[in-house]
Amino acid sequence: MQAQVKLGRIAGISIGLHYSWFIIALLIALSLAAHFHTANPSWSDAIVWSAAIITGVMFFAALLLHELAHSILAKARGMKVREITLFALGGVSQIESEAPDAKSEFWIAIAGPITSVAIGIVLIGAARLAGWRIGTEPGTPVTAVLVWLGYINLALALFNMVPGYPLDGGRVLRAGIWWITRNADRAARLASQIGQTVAFAIILLGLFQFFTEHGNFGGLWLAFVGWFLLDAARTSYVQVSLTTELRGRTVADIMDRNCPTVEAYLSLEDFIDGFLLRTGLRGYVVVHNDQIVGLITPHEVKEVPRDRWSQTSVQAVMRPLAEVRTVSPETPALQALQIMGRHDINQLPVVSNGHLEGLFSRTHVVRFLQAHAQLQNH
Ligand SMILES: [Zn+2]
């Protein structure tokens, strides 16, 4: 999930908002404003709206604290955290590597819900101190904000503990299975299967509510949440399979050794006619006197107007070697994929002692996995 609005960094982690978050913040503010209005007819519009908006903004802070708890624990266990993105159904911490052991997985997963429960208890406790009694409608704007935020945080913890991987509850479940079976991949696979089952049950329950209770929109919302979970559980299942297949593989196992090269002095016109259009490959390593000097892709070619193709050399537009990320043949394949994901690139030249050994790309990974699957089916 990519953040559309960047908010800044906390503890080296970039914080961002997905546009869907604004929808949920607006919905919370609107429904709270409607509720405050009917529960306390004596409050002015200004008070109703400030209470609702403050609750919406504080909800954001509480979500962020929940995600920061996951991220800070992951960092303490030696994992890199790239970004926290908040969206309609909560937050996602983009943690770059897998948890090293079942115990770490458990603590990283449970840290979020524990934080939300703690925030919920503190806020409801504060409301009690401010004179609110449990089971009654909060009478002042301050207690109303405290009570609603408290409940939202408790609900957030509860929802996240649903045992559907990749929700926190699913991760806790995975950590448990991992701890018992001592097999991380099997645990992840089982947890995402349970996640799919749970998601399916939530969809059915939501649809049942919607159709039996004459268009109960809470039911429709529940079905939507279930559908989202089903999708997430499926994606994580594919990811686990990918990780299992590629674990223990190096770049050398997968890369293309017949890596296409072009001479640096070639004109763009000759490069396009003789290589790009002829082979259909996307990335070419540029060489000069048998030394790698850079990388050229259709992306660089597009920067040059067509009428200048014949007078421009490949060397003039290529990405120079100093700016190109390379890997060695011994680099683990999963690590190479992570590098490509992090820098949003499609291919990595494989270099050993200054010599080009091959090219590693997503296409090669897909080809490798397909060949592998075919072997298993026969
Ligand atoms: Zn969480």
Side-chain angles (χ1 to χ4, degrees):
M1 179 150 327
Q2 282 294 317
Q4 273 97 17
V5 183
K6 303 270 178 200
L7 294 175
R9 300 177 85 84
I10 298 177
I13 305 161
S14 117
I15 312 288
L17 289 180
H18 185 255
Y19 70 86
S20 62
W21 184 83
F22 291 96
I23 300 171
I24 201 72
L26 192 72
L27 276 177
I28 288 180
L30 281 174
S31 57
L32 273 177
H35 174 84
F36 290 158
H37 214 80
T38 33
N40 306 281
S42 59
W43 293 1
S44 71
D45 277 356
I47 289 175
V48 164
W49 278 104
S50 355
I53 288 167
I54 288 170
T55 309
V57 171
M58 299 270 280
F59 171 59
F60 156 75
L63 259 182
L64 193 57
L65 284 174
H66 173 112
E67 285 310 315
L68 273 174
H70 288 306
S71 295
I72 285 167
L73 245 96
K75 278 190 120 179
R77 298 267 166 170
M79 294 150 76
K80 275 207 189 90
V81 183
R82 251 169 89 192
E83 192 179 57
I84 291 176
T85 309
L86 301 176
F87 71 111
L89 298 173
V92 215
S93 300
Q94 289 179 18
I95 300 171
E96 268 182 11
S97 41
E98 296 262 296
D101 51 81
K103 233 175 160 179
S104 302
E105 170 98 349
F106 173 80
W107 285 112
I108 293 167
I110 201 86
I114 287 178
T115 306
S116 295
V117 167
I119 296 172
I121 290 174
V122 166
L123 291 175
I124 288 176
R128 289 271 293 142
L129 288 178
W132 172 70
R133 276 180 305 124
I134 292 171
T136 63
E137 187 63 39
T140 67
V142 173
T143 52
V145 169
L146 289 173
V147 167
W148 281 101
L149 273 174
Y151 278 145
I152 289 173
N153 275 284
L154 292 180
L156 187 69
L158 205 67
F159 170 67
N160 269 290
M161 283 311 285
V162 169
Y165 194 80
L167 281 181
D168 297 339
R171 289 178 193 277
V172 169
L173 182 72
R174 181 198 167 186
I177 303 172
W178 185 356
W179 187 70
I180 293 166
T181 63
R182 313 254 161 228
N183 185 329
D185 295 332
R186 219 162 89 201
R189 223 171 258 174
L190 203 60
S192 57
Q193 273 165 346
I194 295 172
Q196 291 182 41
T197 313
V198 169
F200 211 66
I202 292 175
I203 294 175
L204 285 180
L205 182 73
L207 290 179
F208 180 76
Q209 274 187 6
F210 179 68
F211 287 115
T212 54
E213 289 164 32
H214 306 287
N216 177 340
F217 277 93
L220 208 57
W221 174 247
L222 202 62
F224 169 71
V225 169
W227 169 76
F228 168 80
L229 282 180
L230 187 66
D231 191 51
R234 274 207 195 117
T235 310
S236 69
Y237 189 83
V238 172
Q239 231 152 29
V240 173
S241 311
L242 187 81
T243 312
T244 319
E245 295 290 338
L246 293 181
R247 184 166 292 144
R249 303 282 178 183
T250 62
V251 163
D253 294 332
I254 295 168
M255 68 180 187
D256 191 350
R257 282 170 205 280
N258 301 317
C259 154
T261 58
V262 286
E263 291 288 341
Y265 62 77
L266 219 61
S267 75
L268 277 187
E269 191 166 45
D270 290 343
F271 166 61
I272 291 161
D273 292 339
F275 293 85
L276 207 55
L277 296 178
R278 193 176 293 252
T279 61
L281 295 166
R282 292 185 61 83
Y284 293 82
V285 173
V286 184
V287 290
H288 181 63
N289 293 335
D290 283 339
Q291 289 287 314
I292 314 167
V293 289
L295 190 73
I296 187 158
T297 66
H299 181 77
E300 279 81 34
V301 174
K302 272 183 224 149
E303 308 281 296
V304 182
R306 185 177 279 265
D307 57 320
R308 300 203 35 221
W309 282 359
S310 60
Q311 311 122 40
T312 311
S313 72
V314 163
Q315 184 149 28
V317 293
M318 68 176 192
R319 235 170 332 137
L321 190 61
E323 290 172 23
V324 175
R325 277 173 206 280
T326 60
V327 282
S328 77
E330 297 81 35
T331 309
L334 283 172
Q335 197 184 323
L337 273 177
Q338 274 171 11
I339 293 172
M340 292 200 295
R342 197 177 327 150
H343 302 287
D344 198 24
I345 41 183
N346 292 312
Q347 59 270 309
L348 288 167
V350 185
V351 178
S352 168
N353 298 324
H355 279 280
L356 180 69
E357 300 283 327
L359 196 68
F360 181 86
S361 72
R362 288 182 211 279
T363 319
H364 297 128
V365 174
V366 172
R367 221 176 279 163
F368 174 84
L369 290 173
Q370 280 169 347
H372 210 74
Q374 262 165 8
L375 279 178
Q376 282 175 337
N377 287 339
H378 282 286

